[in-house]
């Protein structure tokens, strides 16, 4: 497993997602991956007790490499190194808001302005939660549901790919 | 100045081909892929894959803004468009230019000028490249007869205002012109509101020949010989070979010179192909169009010239000078390419997407297979049906033919229908072996014979 690809990791997560398993720990040579559904998990067997902060699927986003960041083989081979940006404990019932198209992700309407939403914010159908830019054309993304922002997957200014998870929203009534 | 990170805005075998060429030059690769191709061979071999959109081409491979945004976001300094999709859309080349990304292809204004048929004809005319002889609009049957005499029968009469066969007829002599002129003119008037007709020479035995060119963008153009692509169905090429062995040497030299003249007059940059109709009976050739991109069939020229055209494209786009003279390009032997298409030749060529349950290419010398497939590959239904190109090399045409025959016979494929039975039939057909075919051969003779074959 010298060259683990993003696809292989995605596949692994897919298998895990589709399974009934609670946890998956895999080590092949230098490559290690640990997936868990349990927010209070004791962590991977090779580490000390540690609390998983995000649901397994949020580790999945394809490499959210910052623009201009060198794409050495190391960076390319370890897309899981992409840091999780901001999250609280994410409840199981969260709904993912995915990128409707590829573009640059912005959390605020303009540089320096306040973000559309912060963690814990209450949103409804029409709430704008971010902008996605494609060659100077900015398109707002709406929450599309009533709920509370529980996790923000992408850093302001990063490129997102089509269908990449952006937010986790906990539905409310 | 050399390219450090290349964006590949394509899919299928050409994406694999470009990724390989880039890696062989030490260039990093970022593939812009649709969600349907996220697991493809090119996606697995590129350093990084960016999902630009869903399977639907209009929202992924055909959206130049998404493509350039993805290339910028991934920090690429050059973009290769492959063939098809956006490769000949001036807007993509222009958007790259405006955003500091080197476009691996001609300048946007060149693509634009060559993309318009009338403008391309004017360019050819200005460079003294022969066009199919024809006339302006004609008034009467008598004028038409006089013009046809000058051009030489057979001629085809066409409506100046439109196509689709309305007002069109074939005349083998003056009596045909007299009997059909008024009727055709009426038909054209009814269909287009304009009854004027013009005449073009009808090329009965035409072969499709094309010249591979490569320009430095400053007026120097080299050619890599010609290809013969006369096996066609509905203008889609099925088999391509190099060189065109039915062409007399003197005509061949003129053909190469015409292609070089036309493109050097444009200061043509990067790889391109000048297409011609070769009138076998008259021994003359006429300009059709210029394809301002790398073509599907480029490997046959690579094999006879022993050059890597895609690597050359990347080097030139990276600012390296074209360190070659025409005399450095020595052509050897003969190469043939059969396109492997996922379509069923026994049922109207209907597409046959699906999963390849068997894929065992021939294990032979002098055989090259350009493909994105392997056993288990899913051929998605959203894109064109080509799954690979089987290419062979021989010291001469008959050796190459024999190898292609053997190679197709040793190619095991299952899970989807392909055109390989038809390709095998053509390769073994006496007309093809004796090099007697024309562009209408497949539809008139080849396909009916294939339908009646004995297994």
């Amino acid at each position: 497993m010298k060259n683990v690809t993003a696809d292989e990791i995605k596949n692994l997560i897919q298998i895990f997602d589709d399974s009934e398993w609670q946890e998956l720990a895999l080590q092949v040579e230098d490559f290690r991956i640990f997936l868990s559904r349990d927010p209070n998990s004791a962590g991977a067997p090779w580490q000390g007790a540690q609390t998983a902060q995000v649901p397994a699927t949020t580790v999945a986003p394809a490499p959210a490499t910052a623009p201009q960041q060198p794409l050495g083989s190391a960076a390319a081979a370890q897309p899981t190194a992409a840091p999780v940006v901001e999250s609280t404990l994410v409840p199981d019932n969260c709904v993912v808001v995915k990128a409707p198209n590829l573009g640059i992700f912005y959390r605020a309407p303009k540089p320096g302005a306040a973000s559309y939403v912060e963690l814990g914010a209450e949103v409804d159908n029409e709430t704008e939660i971010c902008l996605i830019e494609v060659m100077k054309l900015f398109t707002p993304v709406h929450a599309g549901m009533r709920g509370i922002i529980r996790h923000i997957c992408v850093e302001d200014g990063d490129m997102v790919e089509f269908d990449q998870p952006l937010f986790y929203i906990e539905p409310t009534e | 100045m050399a390219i450090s990170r290349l964006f590949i805005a394509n899919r299928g075998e050409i994406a694999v081909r470009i990724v390989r060429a880039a890696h062989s030059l030490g260039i990093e690769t970022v593939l812009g892929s649709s969600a349907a191709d996220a697991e493809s061979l090119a996606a697995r071999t590129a350093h990084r894959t960016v999902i630009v959109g869903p399977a639907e081409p209009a929202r992924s491979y055909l959206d130049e803004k998404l493509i350039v945004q993805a290339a910028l976001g991934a920090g690429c300094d050059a973009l290769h468009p492959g063939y098809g999709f956006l490769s000949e859309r001036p807007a993509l080349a222009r958007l790259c230019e405006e955003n500091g990304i080197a476009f691996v292809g001609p300048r946007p204004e060149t693509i634009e000028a060559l993309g318009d048929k009338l403008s391309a004809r004017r360019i050819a005319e200005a460079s003294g490249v022969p066009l199919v002889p024809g006339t302006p609009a004609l008034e009467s049957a008598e004028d038409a007869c006089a013009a046809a005499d000058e051009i030489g029968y057979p001629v085809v009469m066409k409506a100046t205002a439109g196509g689709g066969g309305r007002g069109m007829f074939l005349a083998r002599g003056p009596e045909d012109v007299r009997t059909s002129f008024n009727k055709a003119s009426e038909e054209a008037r009814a269909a287009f509101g304009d009854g004027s007709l013009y005449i073009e020479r009808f090329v009965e035995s035409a072969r499709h020949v094309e010249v591979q060119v490569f320009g430095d963008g400053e007026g120097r153009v080299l050619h890599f010989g010609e290809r013969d692509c006369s096996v066609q169905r509905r203008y889609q090429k099925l088999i391509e070979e190099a060189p065109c062995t039915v062409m007399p040497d003197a005509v061949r030299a003129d053909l190469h010179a015409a292609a070089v003249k036309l493109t050097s007059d444009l200061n043509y940059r990067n790889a391109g192909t000048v297409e011609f109709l070769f009138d076998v009976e008259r021994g003359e050739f006429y300009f059709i169009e210029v394809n301002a991109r790398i073509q599907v069939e480029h490997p046959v020229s690579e094999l006879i010239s022993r050059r890597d055209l895609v690597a050359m494209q990347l080097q030139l786009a990276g600012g390296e000078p074209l360190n070659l003279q025409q005399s450095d390009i020595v052509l050897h032997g003969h190469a043939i390419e059969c396109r492997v298409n996922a379509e069923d030749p026994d049922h109207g060529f209907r597409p046959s997407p699906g999963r390849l349950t068997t894929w065992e290419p021939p294990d032979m010398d002098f055989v090259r297979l350009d493909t994105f497939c392997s056993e288990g590959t899913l051929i998605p239904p959203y894109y064109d049906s080509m799954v690979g190109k089987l290419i062979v090399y021989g010291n001469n045409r008959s050796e190459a033919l024999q190898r292609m025959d053997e190679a197709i016979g040793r190619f095991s494929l299952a899970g989807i229908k392909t055109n390989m039975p038809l390709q095998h039939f053509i390769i073994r057909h006496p007309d093809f072996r004796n090099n007697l075919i024309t562009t209408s051969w497949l539809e008139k003779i080849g396909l009916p014979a294939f339908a009646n074959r004995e297994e």
Side-chain angles (χ1 to χ4, degrees), chain B residues 90-309:
Chain B
L92 175 67
R94 196 161 286 132
L95 208 52
C96 284
E97 210 166 66
E98 288 165 4
N99 286 279
I101 294 173
F103 181 75
V104 185
R107 294 184 190 86
E109 50 283 15
T110 312
I111 300 175
E112 198 148 49
L114 293 171
D116 178 85
K117 279 214 184 266
L118 285 174
S119 140
R121 277 178 72 93
R122 279 196 298 275
I123 290 167
E125 208 160 20
S127 296
V129 173
L131 299 164
V132 176
T135 68
L138 299 161
E139 290 304 316
S140 66
E142 284 320 302
D143 288 354
C145 282
D149 273 343
E150 208 158 294
I151 288 168
Y153 289 98
V155 295
V156 63
M157 188 84 43
K158 293 179 178 178
T160 50
R166 298 297 189 83
M168 206 164 135
F169 71 91
L170 181 68
R172 297 197 176 274
E175 52 292 341
D176 289 347
V177 175
R178 283 191 199 97
T179 50
S180 304
F181 189 91
N182 290 333
K183 188 166 154 274
S185 181
E186 277 315 307
E187 205 176 290
R189 196 185 317 280
F192 314 114
D194 176 358
S196 59
L197 304 176
Y198 71 102
I199 286 178
E200 241 180 43
R201 175 181 285 173
F202 180 68
V203 183
E204 213 145 36
S205 306
R207 295 185 75 119
H208 175 111
V209 290
E210 55 187 35
V211 180
Q212 175 69 53
V213 294
F214 195 96
D216 68 355
E218 285 156 26
R220 203 158 68 86
V221 173
L222 304 174
H223 75 80
F224 293 74
E226 79 287 350
R227 298 185 282 257
D228 183 332
C229 320
S230 301
V231 179
Q232 299 187 358
R233 175 179 171 269
R234 298 189 181 169
Y235 301 105
Q236 295 298 309
K237 298 162 186 167
L238 278 176
I239 299 178
E240 300 100 342
E241 53 186 310
C244 171
T245 51
V246 295
M247 187 173 274
D249 284 344
V251 180
R252 177 180 292 117
D254 288 348
L255 181 89
H256 295 165
V260 168
K261 174 76 167 65
L262 191 160
T263 43
S264 56
D265 284 353
L266 288 171
N267 288 341
Y268 192 89
R269 185 181 79 186
N270 221 295
T273 298
V274 188
E275 296 191 329
F276 298 93
L277 212 56
F278 176 49
D279 183 332
V280 182
E281 279 153 19
R282 290 189 176 90
E284 293 174 15
F285 57 84
Y286 316 113
F287 173 78
I288 305 174
E289 63 175 342
V290 180
N291 292 144
R293 57 161 198 271
I294 192 79
Q295 277 188 303
V296 172
E297 58 270 28
H298 74 274
V300 292
S301 300
E302 291 187 323
L303 292 184
I304 65 161
S305 66
R306 302 177 186 175
R307 301 281 169 184
D308 183 335
L309 292 168

Side-chain angles (χ1 to χ4, degrees), chain A residues 5 7 10-11 62-73 76 100-104 133-136 159-162, chain B residues 5 28-30 35 38-40 43-44 47-54 59 65-66 68-70 72-75 95 99:
Chain A
T5 65
D7 284 337
K10 268 198 265 177
N11 286 342
T65 327
Q68 309 305 324
Q69 181 181 320
L71 178 101
S73 49
N101 57 264
L102 174 142
I104 307 298
E133 180 207 345
V134 181
M135 305 309 293
K136 314 277 187 288
M159 181 171 75
V160 292
E161 302 179 22
F162 166 70
Chain B
R5 190 179 301 168
E28 283 182 17
T29 52
V30 177
E39 311 286 322
S40 65
R44 297 201 306 273
H47 287 109
R48 181 178 173 189
T49 297
V50 172
I51 306 300
V52 293
R59 291 183 58 207
K65 291 192 173 114
L66 281 180
V68 174
Q69 182 67 72
L72 285 171
L95 208 52
N99 286 279

Side-chain angles (χ1 to χ4, degrees), chain A residues 3 5 71-73 76, chain B residues 3-8 14-31 40-49 76 80 308 310-312 314-315:
Chain A
N3 297 303
T5 65
L71 178 101
S73 49
Chain B
I3 298 171
S4 65
R5 190 179 301 168
L6 177 72
F7 192 88
I8 296 115
I14 194 65
V16 176
R17 171 81 185 87
I18 298 164
V19 166
R20 272 194 197 172
H23 290 177
S24 76
L25 296 171
I27 298 170
E28 283 182 17
T29 52
V30 177
L31 179 76
S40 65
L41 178 58
R44 297 201 306 273
T45 48
H47 287 109
R48 181 178 173 189
T49 297
C76 294
H80 197 308
D308 183 335
V310 178
M312 284 178 60
L314 298 176
Q315 286 165 323

